[in-house]
Amino acid sequence: MASRKDAEMKELIFPIQPEQRVAMQRYLKDQFLFCGVKACERRRLEADFLQASVTLPITELVQVVTYNYRKLEREYQYYAIDLVQKNSSRLSSAELALFLPLIGEKSWWDTTDAWRKVFSTFVTAHLKQRAEIFAWFYGHEDFWYRRIAITLQLRYQAATDRSRPGHARIFYSKSDWLGFTRF
């Protein structure tokens, strides 16, 4: 296992696997470049870095996440989100909010749904902040933030605020499905 110092000194580099790369890019409609690393292999490669990340100061964590999220290949966005997920239990809502701008970068269903898991994990641990977190997404001008609002709200099924999902769906459908051709 890498020590914190090893994780700070070295950067996680995913190997390029051409035989998988093309299929993975095609799966996401050629919207993003890939290294070609399958999820199980990516998780194995990032495991030590995720473990080491829990010792990073939050400011450093934000820098590492942002740096990786802005790399070209999609695996780095997944890795960045995994870093936030691994550290979600030690974040305040203000610290979690530092990652909000990343949702709007390189957005697609795969990363949006992964981000929803991060926010859902946080809300599960901080139920009193559910309305605050939901407000970040509900009615947002960006389609992908609204998708998080819907999936986040539906995640709680019985505890779902029935007044919100319908409104979120209206925003989601009227402004996005009409003329939205990225799918």
Side-chain angles (χ1 to χ4, degrees):
M1 183 173 299
S3 70
R4 176 175 176 223
K5 185 174 180 178
D6 290 339
E8 287 177 335
M9 306 257 321
K10 289 192 249 179
E11 179 179 350
L12 175 57
I13 305 292
F14 292 112
I16 302 296
Q17 299 178 354
E19 65 282 355
Q20 296 298 323
R21 184 180 209 176
V22 173
M24 293 171 98
Q25 288 173 183
R26 194 173 303 131
Y27 181 69
L28 290 185
K29 309 289 186 201
D30 293 314
Q31 295 288 319
F32 308 100
L33 295 177
F34 277 83
C35 293
V37 178
K38 291 185 176 183
C40 57
E41 177 69 3
R42 176 179 50 80
R43 287 186 193 100
R44 187 187 67 72
L45 292 169
E46 68 184 28
D48 290 344
F49 291 89
L50 293 176
Q51 191 60 40
S53 73
V54 300
T55 64
L56 292 175
I58 299 301
T59 54
E60 201 171 321
L61 175 67
V62 171
Q63 291 171 352
V64 170
V65 167
T66 302
Y67 172 75
N68 280 284
Y69 202 83
R70 291 185 171 148
K71 285 186 167 187
L72 290 177
E73 293 86 2
R74 198 63 165 169
E75 288 88 348
Y76 292 105
Q77 283 99 62
Y78 300 149
Y79 169 53
I81 296 168
D82 290 346
L83 284 166
V84 180
Q85 177 68 21
K86 179 70 175 177
N87 288 275
S88 64
S89 64
R90 67 185 188 111
L91 298 173
S92 68
S93 62
E95 292 164 338
L96 186 62
L98 296 172
F99 300 106
L100 288 171
L102 296 178
I103 296 168
E105 297 179 22
K106 304 180 183 193
S107 304
W108 202 249
W109 62 267
D110 60 332
T111 52
T112 302
D113 290 354
W115 279 117
R116 190 273 313 147
K117 183 179 177 187
V118 169
F119 293 103
S120 180
T121 299
F122 183 85
V123 167
T124 299
H126 305 91
L127 286 174
K128 291 182 179 180
Q129 293 179 282
R130 190 176 111 197
E132 173 192 353
I133 304 304
F134 185 75
W136 294 347
F137 306 106
Y138 171 77
H140 196 282
E141 64 185 32
D142 187 300
F143 166 85
W144 298 107
Y145 288 77
R146 290 191 305 277
R147 179 179 170 97
I148 291 174
I150 292 168
T151 59
L152 183 62
Q153 202 51 9
L154 294 177
R155 158 73 169 82
Y156 293 94
Q157 296 177 9
T160 294
D161 179 346
R162 301 283 180 208
S163 69
R164 294 183 188 258
H167 294 293
R169 263 191 232 98
I170 290 168
F171 280 111
Y172 189 77
S173 63
K174 285 187 179 177
S175 62
D176 299 311
W177 294 116
L178 300 175
F180 189 72
T181 59
R182 290 195 336 184
F183 283 107

